[in-house]
Amino acid sequence: MASLEEAGRALVTAVYAGDLDGVCRVTAAPADGHPPSDQMVAATKVILQEQGITPDDLKITVGEQLGSGILVMLSDGSADPAQSIELFGTAVRAEGFTIGLPPQVYPTEPSHPASQSASVTD
């Protein structure tokens, strides 16, 4: 995408359309190896709806760079911070910008249980 604003608009439009391919075009491949899924798109739509954010009233605010990410706030156009969500965008050299899904829609990895002892008691 040419800008984070364009990436944000494309993301919200794709999420509302249930367009997984469209979501994949604007999101970066996550470091944990979990590409977007239909379930993640549906969960993102619920989050957007709960905040009153739709493609028609979307306001995008690009914030400061935090490490390799850039803070991007999506809101319903109001000044109420409760009606917004924060995402992270990334500048990709010579390719433009990508934007992530809300962190809470990514699957969590189960913690690894402690190693079981090899000894067996009778």
Side-chain angles (χ1 to χ4, degrees):
M1 299 278 107
S3 69
L4 284 169
E5 291 85 355
E6 183 181 334
R9 288 198 183 288
L11 176 67
V12 172
T13 300
V15 165
Y16 268 87
D19 178 7
L20 179 59
D21 289 336
V23 169
C24 289
R25 278 192 294 277
V26 298
T27 57
D32 64 5
H34 291 289
S37 66
D38 288 325
Q39 294 82 8
M40 293 165 66
V41 172
T44 299
K45 184 175 181 180
V46 169
I47 292 168
L48 291 173
Q49 289 172 328
E50 288 173 347
Q51 301 304 326
I53 300 168
T54 68
D56 295 330
D57 65 5
L58 175 64
K59 179 180 177 191
I60 301 168
T61 305
V62 177
E64 296 182 30
Q65 186 165 348
L66 304 169
S68 62
I70 303 165
L71 186 63
V72 180
M73 187 178 318
L74 306 182
S75 72
D76 67 351
S78 71
D80 183 359
Q83 297 301 110
S84 65
I85 61 171
E86 292 180 349
L87 304 176
F88 283 97
T90 306
V92 181
R93 290 183 193 218
E95 292 183 30
F97 296 88
T98 62
I99 193 165
L101 296 174
Q104 61 267 40
V105 305
Y106 288 95
T108 56
E109 293 295 322
S111 59
H112 297 286
S115 297
Q116 298 295 321
S117 172
S119 63
V120 177
T121 57
D122 292 316

